[in-house]
Amino acid sequence: MKITNKVLSLLLIFSLFVGVTGFIPQAKAVGQDDEAYQEDSSVIIEEDNESDAYEELEELLGINEDAETISSSNNDPVITAFMNKDMGGGNGYPAGGGGIGKVRPTPKPKPTPKPTLPARGFKTGAEGEKYLNAHVNGNGHKTFKNVKVYDKKKKKYVFEKRIIDAYVSKKGVAHESKVGYTSLSNFVRKQIDKDARLRSEGRVKGVKWHFFKSAKTGKIGITKNLKEYLEKKKIPYQIHK
């Protein structure tokens, strides 16, 4: 993912925020809450997932954009059917009649080979997202605006954006990529809630989460609480080993 002026601006604002307040994100103790699952209540920008970090940074800085966009780095080939125009007769048309000849059969595109899952895992979240898009024939990121979700920290419903890692536009299915061992943080819980709401409102037809091994830590998988919450929200998931 290219570093845009927008990203640089966000990082500059965040650095100024850190410099002024002396705020340093750090992990806090994990506790039990009234919904019978544990979560990390600290503000942690996920190191291994660039789009999540971008989304979480905007949430931290209170930025809300009302734009719904779709970007793609996997453009499907455009197939055009060509028709022969017979100007000299033949194909059942009189000579000089200018009739339209037979349609040539459209060549079938060769299937794109599925990417190979690296044994050592992915170094960054961007690598995981790129693999996932190729794996599911996705069209890149898609951003949904104004997704209603309950924020446990603010103790109220809020409207936030949801950035889908790999969106399959033909099927309307949203795929989420996570690299490394993943826990049920407040941010991850809200991502799950947003996906469930998008599905219930018919803005997407399906949702699936994918978990990949991190080449940095060598870890893969999900915590028990995250597994239970995905199942509670009826969101299918796959751990790619």
Side-chain angles (χ1 to χ4, degrees), residues 100-187:
I100 298 177
K102 296 181 179 179
V103 179
R104 293 180 182 175
T106 303
K108 295 183 178 180
K110 295 181 180 179
T112 304
K114 293 294 183 181
T116 303
L117 189 66
R120 296 184 61 183
F122 298 110
K123 296 180 181 179
T124 65
E127 290 183 0
E129 292 174 7
K130 182 178 180 180
Y131 170 88
L132 181 58
N133 271 282
H135 181 71
V136 300
N137 294 323
N139 302 100
H141 291 165
K142 182 174 177 65
T143 302
F144 288 92
K145 65 178 181 179
N146 296 328
V147 184
K148 186 178 181 180
V149 64
Y150 185 77
D151 191 313
K152 293 187 64 180
K153 292 181 180 179
K154 299 178 181 178
K155 297 182 180 179
K156 65 178 181 179
Y157 280 96
V158 294
F159 288 89
E160 296 178 349
K161 67 166 55 175
R162 175 68 173 109
I163 302 175
I164 303 301
D165 291 336
Y167 185 71
V168 183
S169 57
K170 291 182 179 180
K171 298 180 179 179
V173 178
H175 295 267
E176 172 69 18
S177 169
K178 296 292 185 188
V179 174
Y181 192 71
T182 309
S183 61
L184 185 65
S185 66
N186 181 62
F187 179 73

Side-chain angles (χ1 to χ4, degrees), residues 32 63 229:
Q32 188 81 17
I63 297 173
Y229 201 69

Side-chain angles (χ1 to χ4, degrees), residues 47-48 120 122 179-181 213-220:
E47 175 184 3
D48 285 330
R120 296 184 61 183
F122 298 110
V179 174
Y181 192 71
K213 183 179 180 181
S214 169
K216 293 181 179 179
T217 64
K219 295 182 179 180
I220 185 177

Side-chain angles (χ1 to χ4, degrees), residues 146-148 196-204:
N146 296 328
V147 184
K148 186 178 181 180
R197 182 168 290 276
L198 287 172
R199 185 179 57 190
S200 66
E201 292 178 349
R203 298 172 72 178
V204 300

